[in-house]
Amino acid sequence: MFDGQAGMSDQQIAEAIEIANIPTLLMVLVQMTGDQRWLEDPYRPTRNRGLGDNDDGGLDSHVQTEIRQRALEAILAWRRGTPLAIPAPSSQMLVDMLGVSVGENVPLEYADMMAHELGLDERPPNELTPASTATTVPEGFNAVIIGAGASGICAAVKLQEAGIPYVIIERNNDVGGTWFENRYPGAGVDTPSHLYSYSFAKNDWTRFFAAQEELREYFNRVADDFGVRQNIRFGLEVTSAAFNDDAASWLLEVRRKDGSTETLTANIVISAVGAFNKPKMPNIKGLDSFNGPVAHTARWPESLELAGKKVAVIGNGASAMQIVPAIADTVESLVVFQRSPQWAAPFEKFKVPVPERVRQLFLAVPLYEEWYRLRLAWVFNDRIHESLQKDPDWPHPERSINEANDGHRRYFTRHIVSELGDRQDLLDSVLPKYPPFGKRMLLDNGWFRTLTKENVKPVTERVVEVRPEGVVTADGTEHKVDIVILATGFDVVRFLAPMAITGSNGKSLDETWEGDDARAYLGLAIPGFPNFFCLYGPNTQFGHGGSLLFLMELQMHYIMDLLKQMFANGYVSVECRQDVHDKYNEQVDAAHNAMVWTHPGMDVYYRNSRGRVVVNNPFKVVDFWHRLRHADVAEYNIESAGHVRATASATGRGR
C-alpha cells in the first residue's frame, strides 16, 4: 500500500490532479480556499448521468484546465501548512456543495449525515469509546458473534473498542463470509469499492468495483490489523442457542466438523450470518442424473475446468450476469436459460483500475477521498428513492410506476438496444416487461453483448428436466451440454436457518417468524429474545442502493449505544417491546405497499411465501441513519440485577 502524503512529490500530485474527478476537485478547492465562486457558473458540473463518476463534469476543456490548476495550487499550499479556509462548512453549505458536485438538488435533511461522514459532527455523549467503557463493562460480561464475514468483523471491532470480551464462531476456515464462499469466475461487488469499506478501515482499492479476490484480501487484512482473528474459532457451526431466564444469558451449542459438540455461554449474542450464504437449489426433475459436473455459483469447485466445454447456465440474476461474460470466451458453447429478462444499468467502471496516481491522491489528500465518497453515496443511495414510489394516477402501470420510472425504462431500453448492435432479434427476449427496479437492478458488465456472441445461446423456454447428457426445456428441446452451472441465487427469506434459536418464553424463532415471515425492530431486535441482535436482519437491505458495510456500522453503533445504557443502569438484559416492534413493522409494510417491489407481477427473492417483502428496507438511507443514531431504552423491556423483569416504559409489555 502506498504511504500517502509523506511519499508523494509535488510532481506526482500534479500528475494525479490531471486525471482526478473534476466535481470532487471543486469541493476540495472550495474548502481549501474559501472561494465560493467555484460553486457558480461556468464551473458548475452537469448532472450525473446514470451511475458514472462524471469525471470531466461535462465542462469545457478550458474550464477544466483552470479548475485543475487552481486545485493544484490549493493542495500544494495545504501540504505546506496552509489550513483549510472552511474546515467545517455549515449544514446548508454542505448540501449546496454536494448538490453542485452532482448537478442536482440535495435536501437539507442530508446535512447531518454528511457532516458525520466528513468527521465534522461531535461524538454523541452516550457513544462508547475505549477510554470511557473499559472500566464500565460488568465483570464476566461476554459476547458471542456468529459469523466472521463483513458483519461479524464489524461487530468484533466495535466490541473490542469498548473492552467487551467476545468470540466469533465461524463455520468456514477463514474470514470473509460471502467473499470467502463465492469464488465463481467474474465474482465481484456491485457497490463502488470506496463505499464498500468500513469507515474505520479505508482501503487502497485497485479497482473502482473490486473483484472477489481483492475483497477477500481486504477482510483478511482488517481481521489481522484489528486483532480480530485471534478471537475467531474456525470450523465450528452454531446449531442452537437458547436463552436461560434464570442466568439472563445464552447457551449456544456448537458443532465441530468431526461431529463433536460443546456448549458456550454468552451474555449477548450477535448474529452476523448474513443473507447470501444458503444456496437456493432448484427443484428440477432429474438434476441428480446428469453425467457431468453440476456446480452452484455459491459452492464453486476449484477444480472445475470450463475450457472447451459445452456449458449450461440456469438462471440470469446477479451471479449469472457476472459469470456468463467471464466464461463465454473460454467455453466451446454456452446456453443461458433465463426465467425472465433483467434490467441492467450501464456500468462504465466495470473492470476499470483506479489509476495509480489517483490511488495516491486518495491517501495523500483525505479531503479529496471524503468528497469522492460523498458523491458516490448520493448517486448510489437515495437518489432514486422517490422514483420507486407508485403513482396511483399513472396511466401505464403495465410498464412503469410513475413518470420518472418511465424515464428510467426509456434510458435502460436505449442501453440494451445499443448493446445488442445488429442482433436486435434478441430484443424481445431480453427486454423486461416489468417496471425498472421492480427486481434488483443489476450492473451490465457485458451481459447483453455476450448474448450476441456466436457461441452463446439465450433460451427463454422454461427448464423442465435434466437428463444425463443435457437440459430439457418446456418445448421438448434437449440441449446437450457437458457442465451445468446453477446461478439460482440464495434462500434469503429464511433468516438464521437452520439454527434453532429459542427465546425467554421457550418459543423458537422459527415459530415466531412462522418459517419465512421474519420481522425485527430496526432489522436487529426481536421481542421474546433478550440480548439477541441480528446484523443484516429482516428488512435491512436497501433495494435502491446503499452499502452493506455502511449499514453494518449503523446497526453496531445502535447496539453499542444500547449496551452502554445497559451497563450504566445495571441492566442484565434488554428485550424489544412487542408494541414498539409491531408499530415499526407496520410502518415497514405500509411503505413497501407504496413501492415498486409490491407492484403486481413482481416475483422477486425479496418476498416470502405470503408475498410480504422481508428483505428490503423501504426507507431512505438518511431516514434509517437517523433512526439508528441513538438507542431509546424506553423501547425495551429490561431486567436488572436480581432478575426482576420490568418495562422501561409504562406502556411497555411487562412480564
Side-chain angles (χ1 to χ4, degrees):
M1 180 177 291
F2 177 71
D3 188 27
Q5 180 172 332
M8 199 171 190
S9 69
D10 289 358
Q11 178 58 37
Q12 290 172 330
I13 288 282
E15 293 170 1
I17 289 176
E18 280 302 307
I19 56 175
N21 178 268
I22 285 286
T24 303
L25 283 178
L26 280 170
M27 301 305 104
V28 173
L29 192 50
V30 170
Q31 275 199 252
M32 286 188 170
T33 67
D35 190 345
Q36 297 187 41
R37 71 186 176 94
W38 300 109
L39 302 177
E40 306 295 337
D41 287 332
Y43 308 109
R44 295 173 67 94
T46 57
R47 183 177 183 272
N48 261 52
R49 291 186 60 81
L51 301 176
D53 280 353
N54 196 22
D55 283 325
D56 63 10
L59 300 175
D60 179 89
S61 60
H62 297 295
V63 174
Q64 292 183 52
T65 298
E66 182 183 359
I67 293 169
R68 295 187 194 279
Q69 180 59 40
R70 295 296 177 263
L72 174 61
E73 295 169 1
I75 289 173
L76 293 181
W78 169 76
R79 279 165 58 89
R80 294 185 175 94
T82 301
L84 297 182
I86 308 177
S90 68
S91 294
Q92 186 62 58
M93 187 174 183
L94 280 174
V95 296
D96 288 346
M97 290 174 69
L98 181 59
V100 168
S101 74
V102 296
E104 57 190 279
N105 178 62
V106 175
L108 186 60
E109 63 183 312
Y110 288 85
D112 288 346
M113 188 168 72
M114 291 177 61
H116 178 75
E117 290 299 295
L118 289 170
L120 302 179
D121 59 342
E122 294 183 3
R123 184 182 293 272
N126 60 349
E127 182 176 343
L128 287 171
T129 63
S132 66
T133 61
T135 58
T136 62
V137 179
E139 184 177 355
F141 190 94
N142 74 306
V144 167
I145 302 168
I146 307 173
S151 305
I153 292 173
C154 179
V157 169
K158 294 307 176 181
L159 290 175
Q160 194 163 276
E161 285 179 353
I164 298 175
Y166 69 91
V167 64
I168 300 179
I169 303 301
E170 171 54 54
R171 67 181 181 182
N172 292 319
N173 295 321
D174 206 347
V175 304
T178 292
W179 303 114
F180 175 83
E181 296 179 341
N182 286 266
R183 305 184 186 189
Y184 58 85
V189 71
D190 56 6
T191 300
S193 302
H194 292 88
L195 292 182
Y196 201 82
S197 52
Y198 305 115
S199 65
F200 54 81
K202 302 291 179 61
N203 193 49
D204 177 22
W205 296 104
T206 65
R207 281 170 44 169
F208 287 104
F209 288 79
Q212 178 268 338
E213 184 177 353
E214 186 171 13
L215 292 161
R216 184 183 172 192
E217 289 174 356
Y218 171 69
F219 291 112
N220 270 275
R221 180 174 67 79
V222 174
D224 291 335
D225 289 352
F226 285 84
V228 169
R229 189 181 297 275
Q230 63 191 20
N231 294 312
I232 305 175
R233 297 187 60 185
F234 293 107
L236 292 177
E237 185 171 5
V238 175
T239 57
S240 67
F243 188 73
N244 183 324
D245 284 284
D246 293 333
S249 62
W250 284 89
L251 298 177
L252 299 93
E253 183 175 276
V254 298
R255 181 174 57 211
R256 303 182 185 90
K257 290 188 176 180
D258 64 4
S260 61
T261 63
E262 66 176 288
T263 301
L264 305 179
T265 302
N267 297 94
I268 65 168
V269 174
I270 297 177
S271 169
V273 298
F276 296 91
N277 52 31
K278 297 183 289 292
K280 181 185 291 184
M281 302 300 293
N283 183 22
I284 302 175
K285 177 184 177 182
L287 187 60
D288 293 340
S289 70
F290 186 65
N291 285 336
V294 176
H296 194 286
T297 53
R299 297 291 183 267
W300 193 258
E302 298 286 348
S303 60
L304 186 60
E305 180 56 59
L306 298 176
K309 302 294 185 180
K310 298 176 181 178
V311 178
V313 174
I314 299 177
N316 68 316
S319 54
M321 193 159 283
Q322 291 185 336
I323 195 172
V324 166
I327 68 174
D329 293 334
T330 299
V331 302
E332 176 185 328
S333 63
L334 184 58
V335 185
V336 182
F337 298 92
Q338 64 171 29
R339 184 175 61 176
S340 64
Q342 296 274 22
W343 288 110
F347 192 10
E348 64 184 50
K349 293 290 189 180
F350 174 57
K351 286 190 176 180
V352 175
V354 182
E356 181 181 2
R357 288 290 182 257
V358 173
R359 289 169 59 187
Q360 294 173 342
L361 187 65
F362 281 136
L363 296 165
V365 186
L367 188 62
Y368 178 85
E369 182 184 27
E370 288 163 359
W371 274 105
Y372 180 78
R373 280 169 54 95
L374 282 177
R375 294 187 71 254
L376 284 177
W378 174 256
V379 172
F380 281 83
N381 285 359
D382 286 344
R383 186 188 191 197
I384 65 165
H385 188 268
E386 186 175 347
S387 69
L388 304 184
Q389 311 303 311
K390 300 175 188 173
D391 178 356
D393 298 323
W394 180 244
H396 307 292
E398 74 286 354
R399 72 184 190 208
S400 52
I401 59 170
N402 56 44
E403 184 176 1
N405 187 246
D406 204 51
H408 289 146
R409 167 178 278 279
R410 294 192 298 272
Y411 174 71
F412 295 134
T413 298
R414 288 196 299 270
H415 170 71
I416 294 173
V417 169
S418 174
E419 290 293 291
L420 291 179
D422 60 4
R423 288 298 311 275
Q424 296 303 310
D425 57 296
L426 295 175
L427 183 60
D428 187 59
S429 63
V430 301
L431 185 65
K433 305 296 190 294
Y434 58 87
F437 300 97
K439 297 183 181 181
R440 179 183 178 186
M441 178 57 68
L442 305 178
L443 298 182
D444 179 19
N445 55 1
W447 170 262
F448 299 107
R449 288 196 304 274
T450 300
L451 295 182
T452 68
K453 292 178 179 288
E454 290 186 2
N455 68 327
V456 178
K457 180 181 181 181
V459 175
T460 58
E461 288 286 341
R462 181 172 57 90
V463 172
V464 295
E465 183 182 0
V466 173
R467 294 175 182 167
E469 296 183 352
V471 178
V472 181
T473 48
D475 61 356
T477 302
E478 181 175 357
H479 304 266
K480 301 287 187 179
V481 294
D482 304 314
I483 297 171
V484 173
I485 296 174
L486 304 176
T488 48
F490 300 85
D491 177 9
V492 299
V493 298
R494 297 183 65 87
F495 290 85
L496 308 187
M499 289 188 295
I501 312 295
T502 305
S504 62
N505 53 11
K507 190 175 183 180
S508 74
L509 189 58
D510 188 62
E511 290 177 290
T512 300
W513 283 349
E514 297 179 343
D516 65 356
D517 196 22
R519 303 168 189 257
Y521 178 53
L522 301 176
L524 54 79
I526 309 159
F529 296 82
N531 291 7
F532 185 89
F533 305 103
C534 298
L535 294 180
Y536 200 24
N539 296 117
T540 54
Q541 177 174 293
F542 292 112
H544 61 285
S547 164
L548 168 63
L549 272 63
F550 177 78
L551 171 64
M552 293 305 96
E553 290 195 55
L554 285 182
Q555 290 193 307
M556 276 309 301
H557 173 94
Y558 180 94
I559 291 171
M560 300 310 292
D561 189 15
L562 191 58
L563 290 177
K564 173 64 182 296
Q565 295 179 64
M566 282 180 62
F567 300 158
N569 292 284
Y571 305 151
V572 295
S573 72
V574 292
E575 172 200 341
C576 181
R577 284 171 27 199
Q578 189 73 49
D579 62 317
V580 171
H581 168 276
D582 293 349
K583 181 179 179 181
Y584 172 77
N585 279 279
E586 288 170 4
Q587 294 172 347
V588 168
D589 292 344
H592 276 310
N593 287 335
M595 298 185 74
V596 66
W597 303 310
T598 54
H599 187 72
M602 290 292 95
D603 179 18
V604 294
Y605 73 81
Y606 308 148
R607 299 166 74 168
N608 64 11
S609 59
R610 301 161 177 80
R612 178 175 173 268
V613 178
V614 296
V615 176
N616 281 10
N617 187 311
F619 307 120
K620 290 185 293 186
V621 173
V622 67
D623 291 338
F624 208 56
W625 182 84
H626 281 292
R627 285 179 182 264
L628 288 165
R629 288 306 292 157
H630 302 294
D632 183 359
V633 74
E635 296 180 332
Y636 289 78
N637 295 326
I638 57 94
E639 183 174 311
S640 301
H643 313 309
V644 178
R645 179 80 60 162
T647 62
S649 168
T651 60
R653 176 175 56 87
R655 288 189 181 276

